[in-house]
Amino acid sequence: MKMEHVRRAALVAAVIVPGLPVAAQDVNAGRQVFAQCAACHAVTAANGVGPGLWGIVGSKSASVPGFRYGAAIKRAHLIWDEKNLDAYIADPQKALPGTLMPFSGIADAQQRADLIAYLKTIKSP
């Protein structure tokens, strides 16, 4: 009985306490979430409507060669770490006012974590 109370408390804390990590990331689920991004972004270095996302995790914002970025992202000088990617994917306009990315964001924290886990895999070995 005591263990059940501990499990419930942990579940409640995970749901209502901001900043706690979400469940383990699922790369395959992230690949599926990426389908929302694929209309504009490639998982290669090729640019389309949006910049190619090859090696995006850990890179500097506005650094993909040959892509024409808007002023807001050029001024941002971000490193696309997990925290910055999470905020940007959640709500691009809030994270980076004036961004040209016409995407309303992904509200679900687990989907964002899975997507970031997938983005981490698209890089040179």
Side-chain angles (χ1 to χ4, degrees):
M1 187 67 147
K2 226 178 184 186
M3 190 56 142
E4 184 59 30
H5 290 289
V6 171
R7 285 187 190 135
R8 279 194 196 143
L11 178 61
V12 169
V15 171
I16 63 172
V17 178
L20 286 181
V22 293
Q25 295 86 19
D26 182 338
V27 171
N28 289 325
R31 184 178 289 112
Q32 292 176 359
V33 174
F34 184 79
Q36 298 176 57
C37 313
C40 298
H41 296 281
V43 293
T44 65
N47 295 321
V49 173
L53 298 180
W54 183 260
I56 189 72
V57 179
S59 70
K60 294 179 184 177
S61 60
S63 66
V64 174
F67 188 78
R68 200 166 161 206
Y69 291 97
I73 199 153
K74 284 181 183 178
R75 286 191 307 264
H77 301 291
L78 296 173
I79 298 296
W80 289 124
D81 60 16
E82 290 181 37
K83 181 180 176 186
N84 287 330
L85 280 167
D86 184 64
Y88 192 70
I89 295 166
D91 187 343
Q93 297 297 325
K94 181 179 178 185
L96 193 57
T99 187
L100 299 178
M101 188 160 105
F103 181 66
S104 60
I106 298 173
D108 185 277
Q110 185 63 55
Q111 287 184 341
R112 292 192 313 271
D114 292 343
L115 175 58
I116 293 166
Y118 172 63
L119 293 175
K120 289 167 122 180
T121 70
I122 56 171
K123 62 181 180 178
S124 300

PDB file of all heavy atoms in Angstrom, residues 70-110:
ATOM      1  N   GLY A  70      15.837  35.050 -41.390  1.00  0.00           N
ATOM      2  CA  GLY A  70      15.238  36.320 -41.025  1.00  0.00           C
ATOM      3  C   GLY A  70      16.070  37.016 -39.960  1.00  0.00           C
ATOM      4  O   GLY A  70      16.947  36.426 -39.315  1.00  0.00           O
ATOM      5  N   ALA A  71      15.782  38.287 -39.752  1.00  0.00           N
ATOM      6  CA  ALA A  71      16.542  39.113 -38.813  1.00  0.00           C
ATOM      7  C   ALA A  71      16.473  38.603 -37.372  1.00  0.00           C
ATOM      8  O   ALA A  71      17.478  38.630 -36.661  1.00  0.00           O
ATOM      9  CB  ALA A  71      16.062  40.559 -38.885  1.00  0.00           C
ATOM     10  N   ALA A  72      15.306  38.137 -36.939  1.00  0.00           N
ATOM     11  CA  ALA A  72      15.150  37.712 -35.539  1.00  0.00           C
ATOM     12  C   ALA A  72      16.094  36.573 -35.189  1.00  0.00           C
ATOM     13  O   ALA A  72      16.743  36.581 -34.144  1.00  0.00           O
ATOM     14  CB  ALA A  72      13.709  37.307 -35.258  1.00  0.00           C
ATOM     15  N   ILE A  73      16.190  35.591 -36.051  1.00  0.00           N
ATOM     16  CA  ILE A  73      17.053  34.442 -35.741  1.00  0.00           C
ATOM     17  C   ILE A  73      18.524  34.802 -35.920  1.00  0.00           C
ATOM     18  O   ILE A  73      19.386  34.290 -35.217  1.00  0.00           O
ATOM     19  CB  ILE A  73      16.642  33.182 -36.520  1.00  0.00           C
ATOM     20  CG1 ILE A  73      17.227  31.954 -35.826  1.00  0.00           C
ATOM     21  CG2 ILE A  73      17.036  33.258 -37.962  1.00  0.00           C
ATOM     22  CD1 ILE A  73      16.447  30.706 -36.031  1.00  0.00           C
ATOM     23  N   LYS A  74      18.822  35.714 -36.831  1.00  0.00           N
ATOM     24  CA  LYS A  74      20.204  36.171 -36.991  1.00  0.00           C
ATOM     25  C   LYS A  74      20.687  36.876 -35.725  1.00  0.00           C
ATOM     26  O   LYS A  74      21.833  36.739 -35.320  1.00  0.00           O
ATOM     27  CB  LYS A  74      20.333  37.118 -38.179  1.00  0.00           C
ATOM     28  CG  LYS A  74      20.299  36.436 -39.517  1.00  0.00           C
ATOM     29  CD  LYS A  74      20.460  37.483 -40.603  1.00  0.00           C
ATOM     30  CE  LYS A  74      20.372  36.918 -41.978  1.00  0.00           C
ATOM     31  NZ  LYS A  74      20.473  37.966 -43.013  1.00  0.00           N
ATOM     32  N   ARG A  75      19.800  37.645 -35.105  1.00  0.00           N
ATOM     33  CA  ARG A  75      20.155  38.385 -33.877  1.00  0.00           C
ATOM     34  C   ARG A  75      20.195  37.497 -32.639  1.00  0.00           C
ATOM     35  O   ARG A  75      20.773  37.868 -31.626  1.00  0.00           O
ATOM     36  CB  ARG A  75      19.132  39.496 -33.627  1.00  0.00           C
ATOM     37  CG  ARG A  75      19.227  40.678 -34.521  1.00  0.00           C
ATOM     38  CD  ARG A  75      18.343  41.821 -34.013  1.00  0.00           C
ATOM     39  NE  ARG A  75      16.960  41.405 -33.790  1.00  0.00           N
ATOM     40  CZ  ARG A  75      15.963  41.550 -34.666  1.00  0.00           C
ATOM     41  NH1 ARG A  75      16.190  42.095 -35.832  1.00  0.00           N
ATOM     42  NH2 ARG A  75      14.747  41.152 -34.368  1.00  0.00           N
ATOM     43  N   ALA A  76      19.570  36.341 -32.694  1.00  0.00           N
ATOM     44  CA  ALA A  76      19.388  35.507 -31.499  1.00  0.00           C
ATOM     45  C   ALA A  76      20.690  34.951 -30.933  1.00  0.00           C
ATOM     46  O   ALA A  76      20.844  34.844 -29.720  1.00  0.00           O
ATOM     47  CB  ALA A  76      18.437  34.362 -31.802  1.00  0.00           C
ATOM     48  N   HIS A  77      21.624  34.558 -31.782  1.00  0.00           N
ATOM     49  CA  HIS A  77      22.895  33.977 -31.328  1.00  0.00           C
ATOM     50  C   HIS A  77      22.684  32.863 -30.307  1.00  0.00           C
ATOM     51  O   HIS A  77      23.299  32.850 -29.254  1.00  0.00           O
ATOM     52  CB  HIS A  77      23.821  35.057 -30.756  1.00  0.00           C
ATOM     53  CG  HIS A  77      24.139  36.130 -31.737  1.00  0.00           C
ATOM     54  ND1 HIS A  77      24.924  35.930 -32.849  1.00  0.00           N
ATOM     55  CD2 HIS A  77      23.735  37.430 -31.797  1.00  0.00           C
ATOM     56  CE1 HIS A  77      25.017  37.042 -33.539  1.00  0.00           C
ATOM     57  NE2 HIS A  77      24.289  37.973 -32.941  1.00  0.00           N
ATOM     58  N   LEU A  78      21.798  31.937 -30.637  1.00  0.00           N
ATOM     59  CA  LEU A  78      21.517  30.795 -29.766  1.00  0.00           C
ATOM     60  C   LEU A  78      22.397  29.611 -30.120  1.00  0.00           C
ATOM     61  O   LEU A  78      22.878  29.495 -31.236  1.00  0.00           O
ATOM     62  CB  LEU A  78      20.059  30.340 -29.940  1.00  0.00           C
ATOM     63  CG  LEU A  78      18.959  31.295 -29.552  1.00  0.00           C
ATOM     64  CD1 LEU A  78      17.613  30.716 -29.974  1.00  0.00           C
ATOM     65  CD2 LEU A  78      18.977  31.552 -28.061  1.00  0.00           C
ATOM     66  N   ILE A  79      22.572  28.743 -29.179  1.00  0.00           N
ATOM     67  CA  ILE A  79      23.080  27.399 -29.437  1.00  0.00           C
ATOM     68  C   ILE A  79      21.863  26.500 -29.324  1.00  0.00           C
ATOM     69  O   ILE A  79      21.125  26.555 -28.343  1.00  0.00           O
ATOM     70  CB  ILE A  79      24.171  26.979 -28.413  1.00  0.00           C
ATOM     71  CG1 ILE A  79      25.387  27.898 -28.496  1.00  0.00           C
ATOM     72  CG2 ILE A  79      24.556  25.510 -28.626  1.00  0.00           C
ATOM     73  CD1 ILE A  79      26.132  27.845 -29.826  1.00  0.00           C
ATOM     74  N   TRP A  80      21.641  25.683 -30.331  1.00  0.00           N
ATOM     75  CA  TRP A  80      20.481  24.805 -30.324  1.00  0.00           C
ATOM     76  C   TRP A  80      20.732  23.598 -29.424  1.00  0.00           C
ATOM     77  O   TRP A  80      20.902  22.483 -29.872  1.00  0.00           O
ATOM     78  CB  TRP A  80      20.122  24.360 -31.743  1.00  0.00           C
ATOM     79  CG  TRP A  80      19.552  25.450 -32.582  1.00  0.00           C
ATOM     80  CD1 TRP A  80      20.012  25.869 -33.788  1.00  0.00           C
ATOM     81  CD2 TRP A  80      18.405  26.243 -32.300  1.00  0.00           C
ATOM     82  NE1 TRP A  80      19.225  26.887 -34.256  1.00  0.00           N
ATOM     83  CE2 TRP A  80      18.223  27.136 -33.359  1.00  0.00           C
ATOM     84  CE3 TRP A  80      17.496  26.304 -31.235  1.00  0.00           C
ATOM     85  CZ2 TRP A  80      17.190  28.065 -33.402  1.00  0.00           C
ATOM     86  CZ3 TRP A  80      16.471  27.231 -31.275  1.00  0.00           C
ATOM     87  CH2 TRP A  80      16.321  28.092 -32.346  1.00  0.00           C
ATOM     88  N   ASP A  81      20.728  23.862 -28.124  1.00  0.00           N
ATOM     89  CA  ASP A  81      20.811  22.783 -27.139  1.00  0.00           C
ATOM     90  C   ASP A  81      19.391  22.304 -26.850  1.00  0.00           C
ATOM     91  O   ASP A  81      18.415  22.836 -27.405  1.00  0.00           O
ATOM     92  CB  ASP A  81      21.537  23.243 -25.873  1.00  0.00           C
ATOM     93  CG  ASP A  81      20.855  24.428 -25.180  1.00  0.00           C
ATOM     94  OD1 ASP A  81      19.676  24.737 -25.471  1.00  0.00           O
ATOM     95  OD2 ASP A  81      21.512  25.061 -24.344  1.00  0.00           O
ATOM     96  N   GLU A  82      19.259  21.307 -26.008  1.00  0.00           N
ATOM     97  CA  GLU A  82      17.938  20.742 -25.738  1.00  0.00           C
ATOM     98  C   GLU A  82      16.972  21.784 -25.177  1.00  0.00           C
ATOM     99  O   GLU A  82      15.800  21.817 -25.553  1.00  0.00           O
ATOM    100  CB  GLU A  82      18.060  19.552 -24.788  1.00  0.00           C
ATOM    101  CG  GLU A  82      18.723  18.366 -25.442  1.00  0.00           C
ATOM    102  CD  GLU A  82      18.834  17.168 -24.529  1.00  0.00           C
ATOM    103  OE1 GLU A  82      17.897  16.923 -23.737  1.00  0.00           O
ATOM    104  OE2 GLU A  82      19.840  16.462 -24.613  1.00  0.00           O
ATOM    105  N   LYS A  83      17.443  22.640 -24.294  1.00  0.00           N
ATOM    106  CA  LYS A  83      16.577  23.649 -23.670  1.00  0.00           C
ATOM    107  C   LYS A  83      16.074  24.649 -24.711  1.00  0.00           C
ATOM    108  O   LYS A  83      14.876  24.954 -24.762  1.00  0.00           O
ATOM    109  CB  LYS A  83      17.343  24.362 -22.561  1.00  0.00           C
ATOM    110  CG  LYS A  83      16.533  25.408 -21.840  1.00  0.00           C
ATOM    111  CD  LYS A  83      17.343  26.073 -20.758  1.00  0.00           C
ATOM    112  CE  LYS A  83      16.553  27.195 -20.109  1.00  0.00           C
ATOM    113  NZ  LYS A  83      17.354  27.950 -19.150  1.00  0.00           N
ATOM    114  N   ASN A  84      16.968  25.178 -25.543  1.00  0.00           N
ATOM    115  CA  ASN A  84      16.554  26.149 -26.554  1.00  0.00           C
ATOM    116  C   ASN A  84      15.670  25.520 -27.617  1.00  0.00           C
ATOM    117  O   ASN A  84      14.689  26.127 -28.059  1.00  0.00           O
ATOM    118  CB  ASN A  84      17.774  26.812 -27.205  1.00  0.00           C
ATOM    119  CG  ASN A  84      18.440  27.791 -26.275  1.00  0.00           C
ATOM    120  OD1 ASN A  84      17.805  28.396 -25.425  1.00  0.00           O
ATOM    121  ND2 ASN A  84      19.738  27.946 -26.420  1.00  0.00           N
ATOM    122  N   LEU A  85      16.004  24.303 -28.038  1.00  0.00           N
ATOM    123  CA  LEU A  85      15.157  23.613 -29.009  1.00  0.00           C
ATOM    124  C   LEU A  85      13.767  23.357 -28.436  1.00  0.00           C
ATOM    125  O   LEU A  85      12.758  23.568 -29.119  1.00  0.00           O
ATOM    126  CB  LEU A  85      15.793  22.285 -29.440  1.00  0.00           C
ATOM    127  CG  LEU A  85      16.885  22.390 -30.481  1.00  0.00           C
ATOM    128  CD1 LEU A  85      17.639  21.063 -30.590  1.00  0.00           C
ATOM    129  CD2 LEU A  85      16.322  22.796 -31.832  1.00  0.00           C
ATOM    130  N   ASP A  86      13.712  22.928 -27.188  1.00  0.00           N
ATOM    131  CA  ASP A  86      12.429  22.648 -26.560  1.00  0.00           C
ATOM    132  C   ASP A  86      11.558  23.902 -26.542  1.00  0.00           C
ATOM    133  O   ASP A  86      10.385  23.864 -26.915  1.00  0.00           O
ATOM    134  CB  ASP A  86      12.630  22.105 -25.144  1.00  0.00           C
ATOM    135  CG  ASP A  86      11.309  21.726 -24.508  1.00  0.00           C
ATOM    136  OD1 ASP A  86      10.635  20.805 -25.022  1.00  0.00           O
ATOM    137  OD2 ASP A  86      10.940  22.353 -23.488  1.00  0.00           O
ATOM    138  N   ALA A  87      12.116  25.020 -26.125  1.00  0.00           N
ATOM    139  CA  ALA A  87      11.347  26.264 -26.067  1.00  0.00           C
ATOM    140  C   ALA A  87      10.902  26.698 -27.460  1.00  0.00           C
ATOM    141  O   ALA A  87       9.749  27.108 -27.656  1.00  0.00           O
ATOM    142  CB  ALA A  87      12.183  27.370 -25.415  1.00  0.00           C
ATOM    143  N   TYR A  88      11.790  26.585 -28.430  1.00  0.00           N
ATOM    144  CA  TYR A  88      11.468  27.014 -29.792  1.00  0.00           C
ATOM    145  C   TYR A  88      10.420  26.108 -30.426  1.00  0.00           C
ATOM    146  O   TYR A  88       9.472  26.582 -31.063  1.00  0.00           O
ATOM    147  CB  TYR A  88      12.741  27.030 -30.642  1.00  0.00           C
ATOM    148  CG  TYR A  88      12.572  27.724 -31.971  1.00  0.00           C
ATOM    149  CD1 TYR A  88      12.408  29.104 -32.044  1.00  0.00           C
ATOM    150  CD2 TYR A  88      12.583  27.007 -33.151  1.00  0.00           C
ATOM    151  CE1 TYR A  88      12.254  29.746 -33.265  1.00  0.00           C
ATOM    152  CE2 TYR A  88      12.436  27.635 -34.379  1.00  0.00           C
ATOM    153  CZ  TYR A  88      12.268  29.006 -34.426  1.00  0.00           C
ATOM    154  OH  TYR A  88      12.117  29.636 -35.642  1.00  0.00           O
ATOM    155  N   ILE A  89      10.552  24.813 -30.238  1.00  0.00           N
ATOM    156  CA  ILE A  89       9.586  23.880 -30.810  1.00  0.00           C
ATOM    157  C   ILE A  89       8.223  24.024 -30.131  1.00  0.00           C
ATOM    158  O   ILE A  89       7.187  23.864 -30.768  1.00  0.00           O
ATOM    159  CB  ILE A  89      10.102  22.433 -30.718  1.00  0.00           C
ATOM    160  CG1 ILE A  89      11.362  22.271 -31.585  1.00  0.00           C
ATOM    161  CG2 ILE A  89       9.034  21.432 -31.134  1.00  0.00           C
ATOM    162  CD1 ILE A  89      12.136  20.994 -31.316  1.00  0.00           C
ATOM    163  N   ALA A  90       8.221  24.353 -28.841  1.00  0.00           N
ATOM    164  CA  ALA A  90       6.958  24.529 -28.119  1.00  0.00           C
ATOM    165  C   ALA A  90       6.167  25.712 -28.670  1.00  0.00           C
ATOM    166  O   ALA A  90       4.948  25.633 -28.856  1.00  0.00           O
ATOM    167  CB  ALA A  90       7.219  24.730 -26.627  1.00  0.00           C
ATOM    168  N   ASP A  91       6.855  26.823 -28.929  1.00  0.00           N
ATOM    169  CA  ASP A  91       6.181  28.031 -29.414  1.00  0.00           C
ATOM    170  C   ASP A  91       7.220  28.944 -30.050  1.00  0.00           C
ATOM    171  O   ASP A  91       7.811  29.791 -29.371  1.00  0.00           O
ATOM    172  CB  ASP A  91       5.479  28.732 -28.254  1.00  0.00           C
ATOM    173  CG  ASP A  91       4.610  29.901 -28.696  1.00  0.00           C
ATOM    174  OD1 ASP A  91       4.776  30.393 -29.830  1.00  0.00           O
ATOM    175  OD2 ASP A  91       3.753  30.320 -27.895  1.00  0.00           O
ATOM    176  N   PRO A  92       7.473  28.759 -31.340  1.00  0.00           N
ATOM    177  CA  PRO A  92       8.524  29.535 -32.001  1.00  0.00           C
ATOM    178  C   PRO A  92       8.380  31.045 -31.842  1.00  0.00           C
ATOM    179  O   PRO A  92       9.361  31.746 -31.599  1.00  0.00           O
ATOM    180  CB  PRO A  92       8.405  29.120 -33.473  1.00  0.00           C
ATOM    181  CG  PRO A  92       7.779  27.777 -33.436  1.00  0.00           C
ATOM    182  CD  PRO A  92       6.850  27.797 -32.262  1.00  0.00           C
ATOM    183  N   GLN A  93       7.167  31.550 -31.950  1.00  0.00           N
ATOM    184  CA  GLN A  93       6.947  33.001 -31.860  1.00  0.00           C
ATOM    185  C   GLN A  93       7.215  33.540 -30.459  1.00  0.00           C
ATOM    186  O   GLN A  93       7.702  34.656 -30.308  1.00  0.00           O
ATOM    187  CB  GLN A  93       5.527  33.361 -32.299  1.00  0.00           C
ATOM    188  CG  GLN A  93       5.235  33.029 -33.741  1.00  0.00           C
ATOM    189  CD  GLN A  93       6.102  33.811 -34.720  1.00  0.00           C
ATOM    190  OE1 GLN A  93       6.447  34.968 -34.494  1.00  0.00           O
ATOM    191  NE2 GLN A  93       6.466  33.161 -35.808  1.00  0.00           N
ATOM    192  N   LYS A  94       6.913  32.759 -29.452  1.00  0.00           N
ATOM    193  CA  LYS A  94       7.171  33.183 -28.070  1.00  0.00           C
ATOM    194  C   LYS A  94       8.663  33.094 -27.757  1.00  0.00           C
ATOM    195  O   LYS A  94       9.229  33.984 -27.133  1.00  0.00           O
ATOM    196  CB  LYS A  94       6.377  32.320 -27.089  1.00  0.00           C
ATOM    197  CG  LYS A  94       6.566  32.716 -25.644  1.00  0.00           C
ATOM    198  CD  LYS A  94       5.727  31.848 -24.722  1.00  0.00           C
ATOM    199  CE  LYS A  94       5.957  32.210 -23.275  1.00  0.00           C
ATOM    200  NZ  LYS A  94       5.243  31.294 -22.376  1.00  0.00           N
ATOM    201  N   ALA A  95       9.292  32.013 -28.183  1.00  0.00           N
ATOM    202  CA  ALA A  95      10.710  31.810 -27.901  1.00  0.00           C
ATOM    203  C   ALA A  95      11.589  32.811 -28.648  1.00  0.00           C
ATOM    204  O   ALA A  95      12.617  33.243 -28.126  1.00  0.00           O
ATOM    205  CB  ALA A  95      11.122  30.385 -28.253  1.00  0.00           C
ATOM    206  N   LEU A  96      11.173  33.161 -29.846  1.00  0.00           N
ATOM    207  CA  LEU A  96      11.969  34.046 -30.688  1.00  0.00           C
ATOM    208  C   LEU A  96      11.023  34.992 -31.440  1.00  0.00           C
ATOM    209  O   LEU A  96      10.706  34.764 -32.605  1.00  0.00           O
ATOM    210  CB  LEU A  96      12.806  33.216 -31.658  1.00  0.00           C
ATOM    211  CG  LEU A  96      13.905  33.917 -32.408  1.00  0.00           C
ATOM    212  CD1 LEU A  96      14.893  34.596 -31.471  1.00  0.00           C
ATOM    213  CD2 LEU A  96      14.631  32.920 -33.277  1.00  0.00           C
ATOM    214  N   PRO A  97      10.556  36.050 -30.746  1.00  0.00           N
ATOM    215  CA  PRO A  97       9.610  36.979 -31.384  1.00  0.00           C
ATOM    216  C   PRO A  97      10.149  37.497 -32.717  1.00  0.00           C
ATOM    217  O   PRO A  97      11.313  37.859 -32.833  1.00  0.00           O
ATOM    218  CB  PRO A  97       9.482  38.110 -30.362  1.00  0.00           C
ATOM    219  CG  PRO A  97       9.808  37.460 -29.050  1.00  0.00           C
ATOM    220  CD  PRO A  97      10.887  36.441 -29.379  1.00  0.00           C
ATOM    221  N   GLY A  98       9.283  37.475 -33.709  1.00  0.00           N
ATOM    222  CA  GLY A  98       9.672  37.939 -35.030  1.00  0.00           C
ATOM    223  C   GLY A  98      10.222  36.853 -35.935  1.00  0.00           C
ATOM    224  O   GLY A  98      10.561  37.120 -37.081  1.00  0.00           O
ATOM    225  N   THR A  99      10.306  35.618 -35.420  1.00  0.00           N
ATOM    226  CA  THR A  99      10.803  34.534 -36.269  1.00  0.00           C
ATOM    227  C   THR A  99       9.893  34.377 -37.477  1.00  0.00           C
ATOM    228  O   THR A  99       8.699  34.657 -37.409  1.00  0.00           O
ATOM    229  CB  THR A  99      10.906  33.202 -35.499  1.00  0.00           C
ATOM    230  OG1 THR A  99      11.549  32.253 -36.340  1.00  0.00           O
ATOM    231  CG2 THR A  99       9.559  32.656 -35.080  1.00  0.00           C
ATOM    232  N   LEU A 100      10.464  33.952 -38.567  1.00  0.00           N
ATOM    233  CA  LEU A 100       9.686  33.763 -39.788  1.00  0.00           C
ATOM    234  C   LEU A 100       9.094  32.364 -39.896  1.00  0.00           C
ATOM    235  O   LEU A 100       8.367  32.078 -40.840  1.00  0.00           O
ATOM    236  CB  LEU A 100      10.574  34.039 -41.013  1.00  0.00           C
ATOM    237  CG  LEU A 100      11.135  35.458 -41.112  1.00  0.00           C
ATOM    238  CD1 LEU A 100      12.039  35.586 -42.326  1.00  0.00           C
ATOM    239  CD2 LEU A 100      10.018  36.483 -41.141  1.00  0.00           C
ATOM    240  N   MET A 101       9.387  31.493 -38.932  1.00  0.00           N
ATOM    241  CA  MET A 101       8.882  30.123 -39.003  1.00  0.00           C
ATOM    242  C   MET A 101       7.377  30.123 -38.744  1.00  0.00           C
ATOM    243  O   MET A 101       6.924  30.427 -37.643  1.00  0.00           O
ATOM    244  CB  MET A 101       9.590  29.228 -37.996  1.00  0.00           C
ATOM    245  CG  MET A 101       9.226  27.765 -38.184  1.00  0.00           C
ATOM    246  SD  MET A 101      10.406  26.651 -37.446  1.00  0.00           S
ATOM    247  CE  MET A 101       9.495  26.126 -36.012  1.00  0.00           C
ATOM    248  N   PRO A 102       6.584  29.768 -39.779  1.00  0.00           N
ATOM    249  CA  PRO A 102       5.128  29.787 -39.638  1.00  0.00           C
ATOM    250  C   PRO A 102       4.592  28.487 -39.051  1.00  0.00           C
ATOM    251  O   PRO A 102       3.922  27.714 -39.716  1.00  0.00           O
ATOM    252  CB  PRO A 102       4.645  29.985 -41.081  1.00  0.00           C
ATOM    253  CG  PRO A 102       5.684  29.267 -41.880  1.00  0.00           C
ATOM    254  CD  PRO A 102       6.990  29.458 -41.141  1.00  0.00           C
ATOM    255  N   PHE A 103       4.906  28.236 -37.813  1.00  0.00           N
ATOM    256  CA  PHE A 103       4.518  26.988 -37.150  1.00  0.00           C
ATOM    257  C   PHE A 103       4.053  27.351 -35.756  1.00  0.00           C
ATOM    258  O   PHE A 103       4.743  28.103 -35.050  1.00  0.00           O
ATOM    259  CB  PHE A 103       5.722  26.043 -37.113  1.00  0.00           C
ATOM    260  CG  PHE A 103       5.446  24.710 -36.471  1.00  0.00           C
ATOM    261  CD1 PHE A 103       4.566  23.813 -37.043  1.00  0.00           C
ATOM    262  CD2 PHE A 103       6.086  24.362 -35.293  1.00  0.00           C
ATOM    263  CE1 PHE A 103       4.322  22.579 -36.459  1.00  0.00           C
ATOM    264  CE2 PHE A 103       5.858  23.129 -34.699  1.00  0.00           C
ATOM    265  CZ  PHE A 103       4.969  22.235 -35.283  1.00  0.00           C
ATOM    266  N   SER A 104       2.919  26.839 -35.341  1.00  0.00           N
ATOM    267  CA  SER A 104       2.367  27.210 -34.036  1.00  0.00           C
ATOM    268  C   SER A 104       3.025  26.495 -32.875  1.00  0.00           C
ATOM    269  O   SER A 104       2.863  26.892 -31.731  1.00  0.00           O
ATOM    270  CB  SER A 104       0.861  26.962 -34.007  1.00  0.00           C
ATOM    271  OG  SER A 104       0.588  25.602 -34.240  1.00  0.00           O
ATOM    272  N   GLY A 105       3.790  25.445 -33.138  1.00  0.00           N
ATOM    273  CA  GLY A 105       4.498  24.748 -32.078  1.00  0.00           C
ATOM    274  C   GLY A 105       3.872  23.423 -31.708  1.00  0.00           C
ATOM    275  O   GLY A 105       2.795  23.068 -32.171  1.00  0.00           O
ATOM    276  N   ILE A 106       4.583  22.696 -30.856  1.00  0.00           N
ATOM    277  CA  ILE A 106       4.133  21.400 -30.348  1.00  0.00           C
ATOM    278  C   ILE A 106       3.964  21.545 -28.846  1.00  0.00           C
ATOM    279  O   ILE A 106       4.943  21.719 -28.116  1.00  0.00           O
ATOM    280  CB  ILE A 106       5.148  20.286 -30.679  1.00  0.00           C
ATOM    281  CG1 ILE A 106       5.283  20.134 -32.202  1.00  0.00           C
ATOM    282  CG2 ILE A 106       4.736  18.961 -30.032  1.00  0.00           C
ATOM    283  CD1 ILE A 106       6.378  19.188 -32.635  1.00  0.00           C
ATOM    284  N   ALA A 107       2.732  21.503 -28.386  1.00  0.00           N
ATOM    285  CA  ALA A 107       2.438  21.725 -26.965  1.00  0.00           C
ATOM    286  C   ALA A 107       2.871  20.560 -26.079  1.00  0.00           C
ATOM    287  O   ALA A 107       3.260  20.774 -24.931  1.00  0.00           O
ATOM    288  CB  ALA A 107       0.944  21.989 -26.779  1.00  0.00           C
ATOM    289  N   ASP A 108       2.825  19.355 -26.580  1.00  0.00           N
ATOM    290  CA  ASP A 108       3.098  18.164 -25.778  1.00  0.00           C
ATOM    291  C   ASP A 108       4.588  18.012 -25.477  1.00  0.00           C
ATOM    292  O   ASP A 108       5.400  17.829 -26.388  1.00  0.00           O
ATOM    293  CB  ASP A 108       2.577  16.933 -26.522  1.00  0.00           C
ATOM    294  CG  ASP A 108       2.706  15.676 -25.698  1.00  0.00           C
ATOM    295  OD1 ASP A 108       3.819  15.084 -25.694  1.00  0.00           O
ATOM    296  OD2 ASP A 108       1.709  15.283 -25.067  1.00  0.00           O
ATOM    297  N   ALA A 109       4.952  18.087 -24.200  1.00  0.00           N
ATOM    298  CA  ALA A 109       6.357  18.021 -23.783  1.00  0.00           C
ATOM    299  C   ALA A 109       7.017  16.699 -24.164  1.00  0.00           C
ATOM    300  O   ALA A 109       8.200  16.676 -24.535  1.00  0.00           O
ATOM    301  CB  ALA A 109       6.473  18.253 -22.276  1.00  0.00           C
ATOM    302  N   GLN A 110       6.288  15.602 -24.078  1.00  0.00           N
ATOM    303  CA  GLN A 110       6.865  14.304 -24.432  1.00  0.00           C
ATOM    304  C   GLN A 110       7.157  14.238 -25.926  1.00  0.00           C
ATOM    305  O   GLN A 110       8.203  13.736 -26.334  1.00  0.00           O
ATOM    306  CB  GLN A 110       5.940  13.151 -24.030  1.00  0.00           C
ATOM    307  CG  GLN A 110       6.557  11.785 -24.269  1.00  0.00           C
ATOM    308  CD  GLN A 110       7.809  11.543 -23.435  1.00  0.00           C
ATOM    309  OE1 GLN A 110       7.751  11.674 -22.214  1.00  0.00           O
ATOM    310  NE2 GLN A 110       8.920  11.218 -24.064  1.00  0.00           N
TER     311      GLN A 110
END
